[in-house]
Amino acid sequence: MGFKVACVGATGNVGREMLNILDERAFPADEVVALASRRSLGTEVSFGDRTLKVKALENYDFSDVDICLMSAGGDVSKEWSPKIAAQGAVVIDNSSAWRYDSDVPLIVPEVNADAAAGFTKRNIIANPNCSTAQLVVALKPLHDAATIKRVVVSTYQSVSGAGKDAMDELFSQTKSVYTNDDLVTKKFPKRIAFNVIPQIDVFMEDGYTKEEWKMVAETKKILDPKIKLTATCVRVPVFISHSEAVNVEFEKPITPDEAREILRKAPGCLVIDKREPGGYVTPYEAAGEDATYISRIREDATVENGLAFWCVSDNLRKGAALNAIQIAEVLVNRKLLQPKKKAA
Protein backbone atom coordinates (compact mmCIF):
# COMPACT_ATOMS: atom_id res chain seq x y z
CA MET A 1 0.00 0.00 0.00
CA GLY A 2 1.32 3.39 -1.00
CA PHE A 3 1.25 6.70 0.81
CA LYS A 4 -1.12 9.65 0.59
CA VAL A 5 0.82 12.89 0.07
CA ALA A 6 -0.54 16.42 0.33
CA CYS A 7 1.33 19.37 -1.21
CA VAL A 8 0.45 22.71 0.41
CA GLY A 9 1.40 25.74 -1.68
CA ALA A 10 1.00 23.72 -4.88
CA THR A 11 0.61 26.79 -7.11
CA GLY A 12 3.94 28.37 -6.11
CA ASN A 13 7.36 27.83 -7.71
CA VAL A 14 8.48 25.27 -5.13
CA GLY A 15 5.10 23.57 -4.84
CA ARG A 16 4.97 22.93 -8.59
CA GLU A 17 8.54 21.64 -8.47
CA MET A 18 7.61 19.28 -5.60
CA LEU A 19 4.85 17.76 -7.72
CA ASN A 20 7.27 17.37 -10.67
CA ILE A 21 9.87 15.64 -8.52
CA LEU A 22 7.36 13.32 -6.81
CA ASP A 23 6.49 12.08 -10.29
CA GLU A 24 10.08 12.03 -11.62
CA ARG A 25 11.35 9.94 -8.72
CA ALA A 26 8.28 7.65 -8.72
CA PHE A 27 7.61 8.32 -5.04
CA PRO A 28 5.40 5.49 -3.67
CA ALA A 29 2.22 7.56 -3.41
CA ASP A 30 -1.22 6.08 -4.08
CA GLU A 31 -2.72 9.56 -3.94
CA VAL A 32 -1.34 13.09 -4.27
CA VAL A 33 -3.44 16.12 -3.32
CA ALA A 34 -2.64 19.71 -4.35
CA LEU A 35 -3.61 22.34 -1.77
CA ALA A 36 -3.39 26.13 -1.58
CA SER A 37 -5.36 29.08 -0.23
CA ARG A 38 -9.01 29.62 -1.17
CA ARG A 39 -8.11 32.10 -3.88
CA SER A 40 -6.37 29.30 -5.82
CA LEU A 41 -9.31 26.89 -5.49
CA GLY A 42 -9.86 25.03 -8.75
CA THR A 43 -6.53 26.07 -10.30
CA GLU A 44 -4.98 23.23 -12.27
CA VAL A 45 -1.41 22.08 -11.66
CA SER A 46 0.61 19.39 -13.41
CA PHE A 47 1.57 16.12 -11.78
CA GLY A 48 3.45 14.06 -14.35
CA ASP A 49 1.07 13.49 -17.26
CA ARG A 50 -1.90 14.15 -15.01
CA THR A 51 -3.58 17.36 -13.91
CA LEU A 52 -4.60 18.04 -10.32
CA LYS A 53 -7.26 20.53 -9.29
CA VAL A 54 -6.17 22.60 -6.32
CA LYS A 55 -8.26 22.21 -3.16
CA ALA A 56 -8.50 24.72 -0.30
CA LEU A 57 -6.17 24.20 2.66
CA GLU A 58 -8.58 25.88 5.07
CA ASN A 59 -11.16 23.08 5.17
CA TYR A 60 -9.13 20.03 4.14
CA ASP A 61 -9.24 16.89 6.31
CA PHE A 62 -5.70 15.55 6.83
CA SER A 63 -6.72 12.53 8.90
CA ASP A 64 -5.83 10.06 6.12
CA VAL A 65 -2.73 11.96 4.86
CA ASP A 66 0.66 10.36 5.56
CA ILE A 67 3.04 13.11 4.41
CA CYS A 68 2.36 16.82 3.98
CA LEU A 69 4.87 18.78 1.89
CA MET A 70 4.48 22.36 3.09
CA SER A 71 5.66 25.26 0.91
CA ALA A 72 3.34 28.13 1.69
CA GLY A 73 5.54 30.49 3.73
CA GLY A 74 6.38 30.84 7.40
CA ASP A 75 3.13 32.39 8.62
CA VAL A 76 0.98 29.68 7.02
CA SER A 77 3.30 26.99 8.35
CA LYS A 78 3.24 28.34 11.91
CA GLU A 79 -0.55 28.22 11.87
CA TRP A 80 -1.17 25.01 9.95
CA SER A 81 1.79 22.65 10.45
CA PRO A 82 0.93 21.84 14.11
CA LYS A 83 -2.74 21.30 13.17
CA ILE A 84 -1.80 18.98 10.31
CA ALA A 85 0.77 17.15 12.44
CA ALA A 86 -1.87 16.66 15.16
CA GLN A 87 -3.98 14.76 12.61
CA GLY A 88 -1.14 12.29 12.17
CA ALA A 89 0.53 13.53 8.98
CA VAL A 90 4.28 14.13 8.99
CA VAL A 91 4.87 17.71 7.85
CA ILE A 92 8.02 18.42 5.82
CA ASP A 93 8.18 22.21 5.88
CA ASN A 94 10.12 24.38 3.46
CA SER A 95 9.81 27.68 5.37
CA SER A 96 12.01 29.02 8.17
CA ALA A 97 9.21 28.61 10.74
CA TRP A 98 10.53 25.44 12.42
CA ARG A 99 14.22 25.28 11.51
CA TYR A 100 15.51 26.56 14.83
CA ASP A 101 13.12 24.59 17.07
CA SER A 102 15.19 22.07 19.06
CA ASP A 103 12.36 19.51 18.80
CA VAL A 104 12.25 19.71 14.99
CA PRO A 105 14.96 17.97 12.92
CA LEU A 106 16.58 20.13 10.22
CA ILE A 107 17.55 17.69 7.49
CA VAL A 108 19.71 17.48 4.39
CA PRO A 109 19.64 13.74 3.63
CA GLU A 110 23.22 13.55 2.27
CA VAL A 111 24.45 15.15 5.50
CA ASN A 112 22.36 14.16 8.53
CA ALA A 113 19.66 11.68 7.49
CA ASP A 114 19.94 9.89 10.86
CA ALA A 115 18.43 12.94 12.59
CA ALA A 116 15.16 12.41 10.71
CA ALA A 117 14.13 9.82 13.29
CA GLY A 118 13.56 12.73 15.70
CA PHE A 119 10.44 13.84 13.80
CA THR A 120 8.18 12.05 16.29
CA LYS A 121 8.47 14.84 18.88
CA ARG A 122 6.34 17.22 16.79
CA ASN A 123 5.60 15.28 13.59
CA ILE A 124 7.41 18.10 11.74
CA ILE A 125 10.70 18.07 9.81
CA ALA A 126 12.29 21.30 8.58
CA ASN A 127 13.90 21.87 5.20
CA PRO A 128 16.91 24.24 5.35
CA ASN A 129 17.37 27.53 3.57
CA CYS A 130 18.25 27.04 -0.11
CA SER A 131 21.70 28.62 0.24
CA THR A 132 22.51 26.40 3.23
CA ALA A 133 21.39 23.15 1.60
CA GLN A 134 23.91 23.18 -1.23
CA LEU A 135 26.68 24.48 1.03
CA VAL A 136 26.44 21.66 3.59
CA VAL A 137 26.23 19.01 0.84
CA ALA A 138 29.67 20.23 -0.29
CA LEU A 139 31.08 20.77 3.20
CA LYS A 140 30.05 17.46 4.82
CA PRO A 141 32.52 15.11 3.07
CA LEU A 142 35.35 17.62 3.51
CA HIS A 143 34.48 18.04 7.20
CA ASP A 144 34.57 14.26 7.67
CA ALA A 145 38.02 14.14 6.07
CA ALA A 146 39.82 17.13 7.61
CA THR A 147 37.50 18.83 10.18
CA ILE A 148 36.33 22.33 9.26
CA LYS A 149 37.22 25.20 11.59
CA ARG A 150 35.93 28.22 9.67
CA VAL A 151 33.97 29.01 6.52
CA VAL A 152 33.70 32.31 4.62
CA VAL A 153 30.97 32.23 1.98
CA SER A 154 29.71 34.80 -0.52
CA THR A 155 26.49 33.89 -2.28
CA TYR A 156 25.18 34.84 -5.71
CA GLN A 157 21.49 34.02 -5.29
CA SER A 158 18.93 33.86 -8.08
CA VAL A 159 15.67 35.78 -7.97
CA SER A 160 13.57 32.58 -7.89
CA GLY A 161 14.57 32.31 -4.23
CA ALA A 162 12.25 35.26 -3.64
CA GLY A 163 9.32 33.71 -5.51
CA LYS A 164 7.45 34.09 -8.78
CA ASP A 165 6.88 37.85 -8.32
CA ALA A 166 10.64 38.34 -8.08
CA MET A 167 11.20 36.41 -11.31
CA ASP A 168 8.53 38.52 -13.00
CA GLU A 169 10.23 41.68 -11.74
CA LEU A 170 13.60 40.70 -13.21
CA PHE A 171 11.92 39.90 -16.52
CA SER A 172 9.90 43.13 -16.69
CA GLN A 173 12.84 45.34 -15.61
CA THR A 174 15.15 43.72 -18.18
CA LYS A 175 12.55 44.30 -20.87
CA SER A 176 12.13 47.93 -19.72
CA VAL A 177 15.86 48.58 -20.06
CA TYR A 178 15.77 47.48 -23.72
CA THR A 179 12.53 49.33 -24.54
CA ASN A 180 13.56 52.45 -22.58
CA ASP A 181 10.47 52.25 -20.35
CA ASP A 182 10.26 53.16 -16.67
CA LEU A 183 11.58 50.44 -14.37
CA VAL A 184 9.14 49.36 -11.66
CA THR A 185 10.71 48.12 -8.40
CA LYS A 186 8.38 46.36 -5.95
CA LYS A 187 9.90 43.10 -4.76
CA PHE A 188 13.49 44.24 -4.25
CA PRO A 189 14.92 47.29 -2.42
CA LYS A 190 16.75 48.39 -5.60
CA ARG A 191 16.52 47.47 -9.27
CA ILE A 192 17.69 43.94 -9.96
CA ALA A 193 18.08 44.07 -13.75
CA PHE A 194 21.78 44.45 -14.69
CA ASN A 195 22.59 44.96 -11.01
CA VAL A 196 23.42 43.03 -7.84
CA ILE A 197 21.86 43.67 -4.42
CA PRO A 198 23.87 42.88 -1.25
CA GLN A 199 20.75 42.35 0.84
CA ILE A 200 18.54 39.28 1.17
CA ASP A 201 15.86 39.43 3.88
CA VAL A 202 15.88 42.08 6.63
CA PHE A 203 18.84 43.61 8.44
CA MET A 204 19.62 42.55 12.00
CA GLU A 205 21.17 44.64 14.78
CA ASP A 206 24.72 43.40 14.11
CA GLY A 207 24.58 44.49 10.45
CA TYR A 208 24.13 41.01 9.02
CA THR A 209 20.94 40.16 7.15
CA LYS A 210 18.52 37.43 8.24
CA GLU A 211 19.60 35.32 5.25
CA GLU A 212 23.22 35.48 6.41
CA TRP A 213 22.21 34.59 9.96
CA LYS A 214 20.23 31.60 8.65
CA MET A 215 23.32 30.19 6.94
CA VAL A 216 25.29 30.41 10.18
CA ALA A 217 22.60 28.92 12.44
CA GLU A 218 21.56 26.17 10.03
CA THR A 219 25.09 25.02 9.17
CA LYS A 220 25.79 24.65 12.88
CA LYS A 221 22.57 22.68 13.47
CA ILE A 222 22.91 20.40 10.45
CA LEU A 223 26.67 19.86 10.31
CA ASP A 224 28.57 20.85 13.47
CA PRO A 225 27.96 23.54 16.12
CA LYS A 226 31.74 24.11 16.39
CA ILE A 227 32.09 25.41 12.83
CA LYS A 228 32.56 29.18 12.58
CA LEU A 229 30.91 30.70 9.53
CA THR A 230 30.46 34.17 8.09
CA ALA A 231 28.34 34.92 5.02
CA THR A 232 27.60 37.76 2.62
CA CYS A 233 24.40 37.03 0.69
CA VAL A 234 23.84 38.81 -2.62
CA ARG A 235 20.88 38.73 -5.02
CA VAL A 236 21.95 38.58 -8.67
CA PRO A 237 19.98 38.92 -11.95
CA VAL A 238 19.76 35.18 -12.59
CA PHE A 239 16.41 33.38 -12.77
CA ILE A 240 17.28 29.96 -11.30
CA SER A 241 20.24 28.45 -9.34
CA HIS A 242 22.32 29.84 -6.51
CA SER A 243 26.10 30.10 -6.70
CA GLU A 244 28.55 30.38 -3.81
CA ALA A 245 32.22 31.29 -3.50
CA VAL A 246 33.47 29.35 -0.46
CA ASN A 247 36.69 29.60 1.54
CA VAL A 248 37.28 26.88 4.14
CA GLU A 249 39.89 26.57 6.89
CA PHE A 250 40.53 23.02 8.15
CA GLU A 251 42.16 21.58 11.27
CA LYS A 252 44.08 19.01 9.21
CA PRO A 253 45.96 19.41 5.92
CA ILE A 254 43.96 18.68 2.76
CA THR A 255 45.12 19.29 -0.81
CA PRO A 256 42.93 20.38 -3.72
CA ASP A 257 43.48 16.98 -5.37
CA GLU A 258 42.40 15.17 -2.20
CA ALA A 259 39.32 17.40 -1.92
CA ARG A 260 38.46 16.75 -5.56
CA GLU A 261 38.58 12.97 -5.07
CA ILE A 262 36.57 13.13 -1.85
CA LEU A 263 33.87 15.27 -3.46
CA ARG A 264 33.71 13.08 -6.57
CA LYS A 265 32.66 10.15 -4.37
CA ALA A 266 30.31 12.16 -2.15
CA PRO A 267 26.51 11.77 -2.45
CA GLY A 268 24.79 14.70 -4.15
CA CYS A 269 28.06 16.25 -5.40
CA LEU A 270 29.29 16.51 -8.97
CA VAL A 271 32.79 17.87 -9.58
CA ILE A 272 33.32 19.78 -12.83
CA ASP A 273 36.76 21.30 -12.40
CA LYS A 274 38.97 21.77 -15.43
CA ARG A 275 41.48 24.60 -15.23
CA GLU A 276 40.60 26.01 -18.60
CA PRO A 277 38.04 28.49 -20.00
CA GLY A 278 34.57 27.09 -19.35
CA GLY A 279 35.84 24.24 -17.18
CA TYR A 280 33.36 25.02 -14.38
CA VAL A 281 29.59 25.10 -13.88
CA THR A 282 27.44 28.24 -14.02
CA PRO A 283 23.91 28.71 -12.64
CA TYR A 284 22.39 28.44 -16.12
CA GLU A 285 23.79 24.92 -16.52
CA ALA A 286 22.71 23.81 -13.05
CA ALA A 287 19.05 24.80 -13.58
CA GLY A 288 16.81 21.75 -13.71
CA GLU A 289 19.54 19.47 -12.30
CA ASP A 290 19.65 17.67 -8.95
CA ALA A 291 23.36 17.80 -8.16
CA THR A 292 25.38 20.31 -6.19
CA TYR A 293 28.13 21.20 -8.66
CA ILE A 294 31.60 22.02 -7.38
CA SER A 295 34.28 23.76 -9.44
CA ARG A 296 37.42 25.92 -9.03
CA ILE A 297 38.83 23.82 -6.16
CA ARG A 298 42.15 25.36 -5.16
CA GLU A 299 44.40 26.15 -2.23
CA ASP A 300 43.67 29.20 -0.10
CA ALA A 301 47.21 30.17 0.89
CA THR A 302 46.05 32.98 3.21
CA VAL A 303 45.34 30.48 6.01
CA GLU A 304 46.88 27.22 7.16
CA ASN A 305 45.04 24.22 5.68
CA GLY A 306 42.82 26.37 3.48
CA LEU A 307 40.78 25.60 0.37
CA ALA A 308 38.57 27.68 -1.89
CA PHE A 309 35.87 26.44 -4.27
CA TRP A 310 32.85 27.45 -6.35
CA CYS A 311 29.51 25.74 -5.68
CA VAL A 312 26.31 25.90 -7.79
CA SER A 313 22.90 24.27 -7.41
CA ASP A 314 19.29 24.67 -8.56
CA ASN A 315 17.71 26.41 -5.55
CA LEU A 316 14.18 25.30 -6.44
CA ARG A 317 15.30 21.67 -6.52
CA LYS A 318 18.12 20.82 -4.08
CA GLY A 319 17.52 24.06 -2.22
CA ALA A 320 13.85 23.28 -1.66
CA ALA A 321 11.63 20.77 -3.48
CA LEU A 322 14.11 17.95 -4.12
CA ASN A 323 15.45 18.07 -0.57
CA ALA A 324 11.89 17.79 0.80
CA ILE A 325 11.15 14.74 -1.36
CA GLN A 326 14.48 13.18 -0.34
CA ILE A 327 13.46 13.64 3.32
CA ALA A 328 10.18 11.85 2.56
CA GLU A 329 12.17 9.06 0.91
CA VAL A 330 14.29 8.71 4.06
CA LEU A 331 11.13 8.24 6.12
CA VAL A 332 9.88 5.56 3.71
CA ASN A 333 13.16 3.75 3.02
CA ARG A 334 14.13 3.58 6.68
CA LYS A 335 10.62 2.43 7.59
CA LEU A 336 10.21 5.37 9.96
CA LEU A 337 6.72 5.85 8.57
CA GLN A 338 4.01 3.40 7.55
CA PRO A 339 0.98 4.24 5.40
CA LYS A 340 -2.16 4.76 7.43
CA LYS A 341 -4.66 1.94 7.17
CA LYS A 342 -7.45 3.07 4.90
CA ALA A 343 -10.95 2.59 6.18
CA ALA A 344 -12.90 -0.12 4.38
Side-chain angles (χ1 to χ4, degrees):
M1 187 166 59
F3 294 83
K4 181 172 180 179
V5 178
C7 181
V8 177
T11 58
N13 283 345
V14 174
R16 290 174 189 270
E17 202 66 43
M18 283 175 170
L19 292 172
N20 288 338
I21 294 170
L22 280 171
D23 178 69
E24 279 175 22
R25 294 172 75 91
F27 187 83
D30 280 351
E31 186 179 353
V32 175
V33 184
L35 301 170
S37 65
R38 279 199 189 94
R39 68 177 180 273
S40 296
L41 187 64
T43 302
E44 294 188 341
V45 291
S46 297
F47 174 56
D49 56 5
R50 286 159 283 174
T51 300
L52 304 178
K53 281 205 169 180
V54 172
K55 299 179 181 179
L57 165 65
E58 288 83 353
N59 53 12
Y60 192 78
D61 179 5
F62 285 88
S63 59
D64 63 346
V65 172
D66 297 300
I67 297 169
C68 176
L69 303 170
M70 175 75 71
S71 184
D75 291 340
V76 173
S77 183
K78 280 175 189 170
E79 179 183 356
W80 284 96
S81 290
K83 295 178 185 176
I84 296 167
Q87 293 186 58
V90 179
V91 178
I92 301 173
D93 179 48
N94 196 58
S95 78
S96 61
W98 304 99
R99 291 175 189 157
Y100 318 108
D101 187 316
S102 58
D103 288 336
V104 174
L106 179 63
I107 303 294
V108 175
E110 296 92 337
V111 179
N112 65 336
D114 289 349
F119 79 89
T120 52
K121 290 181 182 174
R122 282 185 181 259
N123 247 20
I124 300 171
I125 298 175
N127 216 33
N129 191 34
C130 43
S131 53
T132 307
Q134 69 187 69
L135 178 66
V136 295
V137 166
L139 292 181
K140 164 68 172 169
L142 299 175
H143 185 52
D144 288 348
T147 311
I148 294 169
K149 291 169 63 177
R150 179 172 180 260
V151 179
V152 180
V153 56
S154 298
T155 72
Y156 306 74
Q157 293 179 230
S158 67
V159 294
S160 57
K164 183 180 181 300
D165 289 347
M167 296 176 78
D168 290 344
E169 187 160 308
L170 172 58
F171 180 82
S172 64
Q173 286 186 1
T174 303
K175 189 176 172 186
S176 295
V177 169
Y178 283 113
T179 55
N180 209 24
D181 290 336
D182 290 337
L183 267 74
V184 177
T185 298
K186 290 181 183 174
K187 190 71 183 176
F188 297 112
K190 298 198 175 191
R191 73 175 254 185
I192 185 62
F194 303 97
N195 199 18
V196 299
I197 302 172
Q199 178 198 345
I200 300 177
D201 214 324
V202 296
F203 278 96
M204 302 175 74
E205 284 186 8
D206 60 1
Y208 283 84
T209 63
K210 189 79 179 286
E211 184 84 356
E212 292 156 356
W213 175 85
K214 286 175 191 174
M215 292 192 76
V216 175
E218 293 172 20
T219 300
K220 286 176 177 289
K221 183 172 178 178
I222 296 167
L223 191 54
D224 190 336
K226 298 191 199 75
I227 291 174
K228 294 179 180 178
L229 187 144
T230 184
T232 301
C233 293
V234 182
R235 192 72 74 189
V236 297
V238 167
F239 284 108
I240 295 172
S241 300
H242 292 349
S243 306
E244 296 172 350
V246 188
N247 293 68
V248 189
E249 183 182 355
F250 297 89
E251 284 186 10
K252 303 169 195 165
I254 181 169
T255 68
D257 284 342
E258 287 169 341
R260 225 172 265 115
E261 284 309 304
I262 289 164
L263 290 166
R264 280 200 177 106
K265 296 172 187 170
C269 295
L270 200 53
V271 177
I272 308 288
D273 190 13
K274 297 176 183 174
R275 294 180 175 177
E276 60 187 46
Y280 42 79
V281 170
T282 63
Y284 175 77
E285 294 151 320
E289 301 294 329
D290 289 347
T292 295
Y293 292 91
I294 302 157
S295 310
R296 304 286 323 278
I297 302 167
R298 60 206 189 276
E299 181 188 0
D300 177 358
T302 66
V303 293
E304 192 175 358
N305 305 329
L307 287 179
F309 62 86
W310 174 252
C311 168
V312 185
S313 191
D314 182 327
N315 57 293
L316 298 179
R317 290 181 74 89
K318 185 55 196 169
L322 172 64
N323 198 75
I325 308 304
Q326 287 176 307
I327 293 170
E329 289 171 348
V330 168
L331 297 178
V332 172
N333 295 339
R334 298 191 177 202
K335 296 183 168 45
L336 297 170
L337 183 68
Q338 299 296 328
K340 290 176 182 172
K341 300 289 185 216
K342 304 295 189 288

